[in-house]
Short mmCIF file of all heavy atoms in Angstrom, two decimals:
data_model
loop_
_atom_site.label_atom_id
_atom_site.label_comp_id
_atom_site.label_asym_id
_atom_site.label_seq_id
_atom_site.Cartn_x
_atom_site.Cartn_y
_atom_site.Cartn_z
N LYS J 126 -7.37 -26.36 7.79
CA LYS J 126 -6.76 -27.46 7.01
C LYS J 126 -5.80 -26.87 5.99
O LYS J 126 -4.72 -27.45 5.74
CB LYS J 126 -7.92 -28.26 6.32
CG LYS J 126 -8.68 -29.18 7.25
CD LYS J 126 -9.74 -29.89 6.43
CE LYS J 126 -10.57 -30.84 7.37
NZ LYS J 126 -11.61 -31.52 6.61
N LYS J 127 -6.16 -25.80 5.37
CA LYS J 127 -5.26 -25.13 4.40
C LYS J 127 -3.98 -24.69 5.07
O LYS J 127 -2.92 -24.89 4.56
CB LYS J 127 -6.01 -23.96 3.70
CG LYS J 127 -7.13 -24.34 2.81
CD LYS J 127 -7.70 -23.09 2.19
CE LYS J 127 -8.91 -23.42 1.26
NZ LYS J 127 -10.12 -23.76 2.03
N VAL J 128 -4.13 -24.07 6.22
CA VAL J 128 -2.96 -23.58 6.98
C VAL J 128 -2.01 -24.75 7.25
O VAL J 128 -0.78 -24.63 7.01
CB VAL J 128 -3.41 -22.88 8.29
CG1 VAL J 128 -2.15 -22.52 9.12
CG2 VAL J 128 -4.21 -21.64 8.01
N ILE J 129 -2.53 -25.83 7.72
CA ILE J 129 -1.70 -26.98 8.14
C ILE J 129 -1.09 -27.62 6.88
O ILE J 129 0.12 -28.03 6.90
CB ILE J 129 -2.54 -27.98 8.92
CG1 ILE J 129 -2.91 -27.35 10.29
CG2 ILE J 129 -1.72 -29.31 9.18
CD1 ILE J 129 -3.92 -28.18 11.08
N ARG J 130 -1.80 -27.69 5.83
CA ARG J 130 -1.24 -28.27 4.62
C ARG J 130 -0.12 -27.46 4.03
O ARG J 130 0.92 -27.96 3.62
CB ARG J 130 -2.34 -28.45 3.55
CG ARG J 130 -3.36 -29.50 3.91
CD ARG J 130 -4.52 -29.54 2.91
NE ARG J 130 -4.13 -30.12 1.66
CZ ARG J 130 -4.93 -30.19 0.59
NH1 ARG J 130 -6.14 -29.60 0.63
NH2 ARG J 130 -4.48 -30.78 -0.53
N ILE J 131 -0.23 -26.17 4.13
CA ILE J 131 0.85 -25.24 3.73
C ILE J 131 2.07 -25.44 4.63
O ILE J 131 3.20 -25.48 4.16
CB ILE J 131 0.35 -23.77 3.72
CG1 ILE J 131 -0.67 -23.54 2.67
CG2 ILE J 131 1.52 -22.81 3.55
CD1 ILE J 131 -1.49 -22.29 2.79
N ALA J 132 1.81 -25.52 5.94
CA ALA J 132 2.90 -25.68 6.92
C ALA J 132 3.62 -27.03 6.67
O ALA J 132 4.84 -27.10 6.79
CB ALA J 132 2.32 -25.65 8.30
N ARG J 133 2.88 -28.08 6.34
CA ARG J 133 3.47 -29.41 6.08
C ARG J 133 4.34 -29.40 4.89
O ARG J 133 5.31 -30.17 4.77
CB ARG J 133 2.35 -30.42 5.89
CG ARG J 133 1.72 -30.91 7.21
CD ARG J 133 0.50 -31.76 6.98
NE ARG J 133 0.69 -32.82 5.99
CZ ARG J 133 1.18 -34.03 6.26
NH1 ARG J 133 1.47 -34.27 7.56
NH2 ARG J 133 1.31 -34.94 5.31
N GLU J 134 4.07 -28.55 3.91
CA GLU J 134 4.84 -28.50 2.64
C GLU J 134 6.10 -27.64 2.73
O GLU J 134 6.80 -27.54 1.74
CB GLU J 134 3.92 -27.98 1.47
CG GLU J 134 2.78 -28.90 1.09
CD GLU J 134 3.28 -30.17 0.42
OE1 GLU J 134 4.41 -30.17 -0.11
OE2 GLU J 134 2.51 -31.12 0.33
N ASN J 135 6.36 -27.01 3.88
CA ASN J 135 7.47 -26.08 3.98
C ASN J 135 8.25 -26.27 5.25
O ASN J 135 7.75 -26.74 6.27
CB ASN J 135 6.93 -24.66 3.98
CG ASN J 135 6.42 -24.25 2.57
OD1 ASN J 135 7.19 -23.89 1.69
ND2 ASN J 135 5.10 -24.31 2.40
N THR J 136 9.54 -25.93 5.18
CA THR J 136 10.38 -25.97 6.36
C THR J 136 10.26 -24.63 7.13
O THR J 136 9.78 -23.66 6.58
CB THR J 136 11.89 -26.13 5.94
OG1 THR J 136 12.26 -24.94 5.21
CG2 THR J 136 12.06 -27.36 5.06
N ILE J 140 9.72 -20.67 5.78
CA ILE J 140 8.64 -19.79 6.32
C ILE J 140 9.25 -18.54 6.85
O ILE J 140 8.75 -17.42 6.68
CB ILE J 140 7.78 -20.48 7.31
CG1 ILE J 140 7.01 -21.65 6.62
CG2 ILE J 140 6.82 -19.54 7.99
CD1 ILE J 140 6.12 -21.26 5.50
N PHE J 161 4.04 -18.81 12.41
CA PHE J 161 2.85 -19.39 11.74
C PHE J 161 2.10 -18.35 10.83
O PHE J 161 1.36 -18.73 9.97
CB PHE J 161 1.87 -19.82 12.90
CG PHE J 161 1.17 -21.14 12.53
CD1 PHE J 161 1.90 -22.20 12.04
CD2 PHE J 161 -0.21 -21.27 12.76
CE1 PHE J 161 1.25 -23.42 11.74
CE2 PHE J 161 -0.84 -22.44 12.43
CZ PHE J 161 -0.13 -23.50 11.94
N CYS J 164 2.05 -18.86 6.94
CA CYS J 164 1.17 -19.93 6.57
C CYS J 164 -0.27 -19.53 6.50
O CYS J 164 -1.04 -19.91 5.60
CB CYS J 164 1.38 -21.12 7.48
SG CYS J 164 3.02 -21.81 7.58
N VAL J 194 3.26 -23.38 -3.58
CA VAL J 194 2.54 -24.42 -2.89
C VAL J 194 1.15 -24.72 -3.44
O VAL J 194 0.63 -25.81 -3.11
CB VAL J 194 2.42 -24.04 -1.38
CG1 VAL J 194 1.29 -23.02 -1.13
CG2 VAL J 194 2.25 -25.27 -0.48
N LYS J 197 0.43 -28.17 -5.04
CA LYS J 197 0.68 -29.25 -4.08
C LYS J 197 -0.49 -29.48 -3.13
O LYS J 197 -0.65 -30.59 -2.63
CB LYS J 197 1.97 -28.92 -3.26
CG LYS J 197 3.20 -28.79 -4.10
CD LYS J 197 4.41 -28.44 -3.20
CE LYS J 197 5.66 -28.21 -4.00
NZ LYS J 197 6.82 -27.83 -3.13
N ILE J 198 -1.26 -28.47 -2.91
CA ILE J 198 -2.42 -28.62 -2.01
C ILE J 198 -3.73 -28.50 -2.75
O ILE J 198 -4.77 -28.19 -2.20
CB ILE J 198 -2.37 -27.60 -0.81
CG1 ILE J 198 -2.48 -26.19 -1.30
CG2 ILE J 198 -1.10 -27.78 -0.03
CD1 ILE J 198 -2.69 -25.17 -0.20
#
Side-chain angles (χ1 to χ4, degrees):
K126 285 181 182 178
K127 293 182 181 73
V128 174
I129 292 170
R130 291 174 74 186
I131 292 163
R133 280 169 52 85
E134 291 290 340
N135 289 279
T136 64
I140 295 301
F161 220 46
C164 298
V194 80
K197 296 177 183 178
I198 65 170

